[in-house]
Amino acid sequence: MPACAFTSKSGVRASHLERFSAWGLGFCASVGLLVLVAVQTSTTACAAEPGAPPSTQRTDQPEEPDLKGSPYTEYGEFDERDEEDEVTRFLQYGRFFGVSLGGGLSGATGNRGSLYQGGFPSFELKLHYWFDFNFAVEMALNVNSHFFETQARGAVDTTLLRTGLDLKYYIPVFNLAAPISFANPYLTLGFGSFQKTDRFQREETVDNDSSVGLTVGAGLEFVMSPRRSSFYISGKASSVTFKDSQTADYEAEGFPNLSGLFYTLTAGFLFTW
């Protein structure tokens, strides 16, 4: 009996020890799980904190260089040097201002040309300004005189005054023949105000009329002294419509109207500086 009782007590003690060990292991596992959850929560909160610097991850790809605003990304004028050389050459050898005085003859085409007589002499005065070697502008004043006679109104003296602004273009002559290069050919295109005055001698009356017209022309300039003086020859044609352009007042002379272009042929001297 005593032996059996001892055996029973040992079995009870072993059973209690096993239960205590199981509880201890469960308690330790629970504490470990709570610690792991707490650490995970703390790490997430620190990562989401507003002032915390973002985590950087290293990559194997090299960073691209920032070329904003560098000379390699900005547009460059490759012909700027050529333009500077051209401006320098113009400042050394070009002309800037000029004044010219010339004279010649004037006339008209069409029915007006058949009616008008005279036209010599005509005068012109011009002021010039050069932008570069090829382009210039000129302010011109032209005075032309004509006369004609009709059966109904007798002799009539006509004066035509033009005040205009013309753009002049000098044709490049680098690859042309020497005589053409020496002549310096140019073309003109402009507009102006035309005023026509008719004086009827029999009636002793004056009729004034004004209009705006377009003028085209061409000319040659022969250099007498470089950058100082030149001799020029020019021709211009003007299209302008006056009140008597479609009149029937001269049907008795065989002209149902006075249509036609005005033209001038002029030679003169140009002084520049």
Side-chain angles (χ1 to χ4, degrees):
M1 289 298 295
C4 293
F6 178 79
T7 304
S8 177
K9 291 179 179 180
S10 300
V12 172
R13 291 177 180 177
S15 177
H16 284 289
L17 182 61
E18 290 177 358
R19 291 179 181 180
F20 179 77
S21 299
W23 291 345
L25 292 175
F27 179 78
C28 292
S30 300
V31 172
L33 181 61
L34 292 176
V35 172
L36 181 61
V37 172
V39 171
Q40 183 69 22
T41 304
S42 177
T43 304
T44 305
C46 291
E49 188 176 354
S55 61
T56 58
Q57 297 180 357
R58 300 182 60 182
T59 59
D60 296 337
Q61 297 181 355
E63 296 183 358
E64 296 182 358
D66 187 10
L67 299 179
K68 296 181 180 180
S70 67
Y72 301 100
T73 59
E74 296 179 355
Y75 176 75
E77 293 286 349
F78 299 101
D79 57 348
E80 184 177 355
R81 181 61 181 273
D82 296 337
E83 294 180 358
E84 292 179 355
D85 294 341
E86 185 69 16
V87 172
T88 302
R89 192 167 66 91
F90 175 69
L91 294 176
Q92 291 179 351
Y93 304 105
R95 299 172 294 180
F96 302 100
F97 302 96
V99 58
S100 62
L101 180 64
L105 60 90
S106 62
T109 63
N111 293 335
R112 190 182 295 274
S114 300
L115 178 64
Y116 279 14
Q117 301 179 35
F120 180 83
S122 65
F123 302 96
E124 73 173 9
L125 175 65
K126 296 186 293 184
L127 299 177
H128 307 256
Y129 175 77
W130 278 265
F131 300 104
D132 52 29
F133 287 108
N134 298 109
F135 287 95
V137 64
E138 58 184 23
M139 298 179 59
L141 175 65
N142 300 86
V143 180
N144 308 322
S145 298
H146 304 273
F147 66 90
F148 61 93
E149 188 170 354
T150 64
Q151 297 179 2
R153 310 187 69 175
V156 182
D157 294 327
T158 299
T159 302
L160 184 65
L161 176 66
R162 174 187 181 265
T163 304
L165 188 67
D166 301 329
L167 179 64
K168 182 186 293 185
Y169 172 69
Y170 289 87
I171 301 175
V173 293
F174 300 108
N175 299 324
L176 301 180
I180 300 178
S181 301
F182 176 74
N184 293 320
Y186 63 86
L187 303 174
T188 59
L189 174 65
F191 66 95
S193 174
F194 294 79
Q195 183 169 354
K196 183 173 67 68
T197 302
D198 294 332
R199 294 179 176 83
F200 299 90
Q201 297 181 3
R202 179 186 301 177
E203 301 174 359
E204 297 183 353
T205 58
V206 177
D207 184 13
N208 294 317
D209 190 9
S210 61
S211 183
V212 177
L214 181 68
T215 301
V216 296
L220 301 173
E221 283 186 9
F222 302 92
V223 177
M224 300 174 58
S225 176
R227 300 187 63 186
R228 299 297 182 183
S229 61
S230 302
F231 175 77
Y232 72 91
I233 300 174
S234 66
K236 293 182 178 180
S238 302
S239 176
V240 56
T241 302
F242 291 108
K243 291 186 299 184
D244 62 355
S245 297
Q246 302 299 327
T247 185
D249 296 342
Y250 304 102
E251 288 184 342
E253 284 73 25
F255 304 110
N257 55 51
L258 291 182
S259 61
L261 301 175
F262 295 92
Y263 66 86
T264 58
L265 299 175
T266 309
F269 295 94
L270 171 62
F271 303 94
T272 60
W273 61 88

